[in-house]
Amino acid sequence: KIKSMASECIGIISVLDSSFVEKILELMNSNSENDISGALIGLKQIYHSKEFDYEKLDKLITNHIKCLKDESNFNIKQNAYSSLTNLLSEFSKHVLENKEYRKTLFESFASNYLVNKDLFETYDLGGGVKITNDKGLIIRKSIYTCINYILDTYPSNID
């Protein structure tokens, strides 16, 4: 929780001071899972800024989309999908006009929208009570929310 709050604060500071966007980019390119996850959480706040340098935005989007395809670290992938909804809620037209972004997004959606039983964890609470946690639910909900934003932006069709 503290890590998420700190990451969101960095995102808010980045909205106020654009030099922090470079710091977010540095974190996204690090080898640390915590740095990358923190940067992705911070992106949620950054994407809500209406005034944005599109060159920096494209750098953020490029790094962000790479994280969607990260099969080696589930937390990074989960945070990437979670903040993707914020990106598409504000900049869906910009993202979808870029053929490479669009292609990568739809490929990622296609490979992650189905229920994956390997992501289910069952916990025995004792006394015959068991609960099941679906770790893939956040990703699937994010995909469906993103598709909704895409359909709102381009209601007719997308090639």
Side-chain angles (χ1 to χ4, degrees):
K1 295 280 184 199
I2 292 174
K3 179 178 76 169
S4 295
M5 286 176 28
S7 299
E8 287 186 17
C9 288
I10 291 171
I12 291 168
I13 292 169
S14 298
V15 170
L16 301 173
D17 181 356
S18 64
S19 66
F20 272 83
V21 174
E22 294 298 327
K23 302 281 187 216
I24 294 283
L25 283 167
E26 286 176 27
L27 291 172
M28 290 181 80
N29 288 316
S30 83
N31 292 325
S32 165
E33 170 192 341
N34 290 332
D35 288 352
I36 297 168
S37 289
L40 289 166
I41 291 168
L43 287 179
K44 290 180 180 185
Q45 302 302 323
I46 293 172
Y47 290 147
H48 283 302
S49 170
K50 300 290 184 201
E51 296 178 22
F52 216 99
D53 173 0
Y54 279 92
E55 183 178 323
K56 286 183 182 176
L57 178 64
D58 283 327
K59 288 179 185 176
L60 288 172
I61 293 170
T62 300
N63 283 296
H64 189 168
I65 288 177
K66 271 193 264 179
C67 294
L68 295 174
K69 300 186 292 184
D70 190 340
E71 296 297 331
S72 65
N73 190 309
F74 186 76
N75 288 333
I76 289 174
K77 186 176 188 177
Q78 194 172 39
N79 286 325
Y81 273 99
S82 181
S83 56
L84 183 65
T85 58
N86 297 74
L87 170 63
L88 289 179
S89 74
E90 302 297 335
F91 298 102
S92 59
K93 190 169 180 115
H94 178 75
V95 172
L96 295 172
E97 287 175 351
N98 182 308
K99 187 176 183 177
E100 193 58 39
Y101 293 161
R102 192 172 60 235
K103 178 181 181 234
T104 305
L105 277 179
F106 289 135
E107 287 173 354
S108 296
F109 291 172
S111 63
N112 290 289
Y113 81 97
L114 294 174
V115 174
N116 181 349
K117 294 290 185 188
D118 294 337
L119 296 176
F120 281 56
E121 295 177 336
T122 301
Y123 300 98
D124 187 350
L125 300 178
V129 177
K130 293 183 180 183
I131 60 170
T132 302
N133 179 29
D134 178 4
K135 291 175 24 179
L137 183 61
I138 292 173
I139 291 174
R140 289 193 312 280
K141 284 175 70 173
S142 296
I143 289 171
Y144 290 116
T145 302
C146 290
I147 290 170
N148 193 27
Y149 288 134
I150 291 167
L151 292 174
D152 284 346
T153 305
Y154 290 101
S156 55
N157 63 12
I158 300 174
D159 47 333

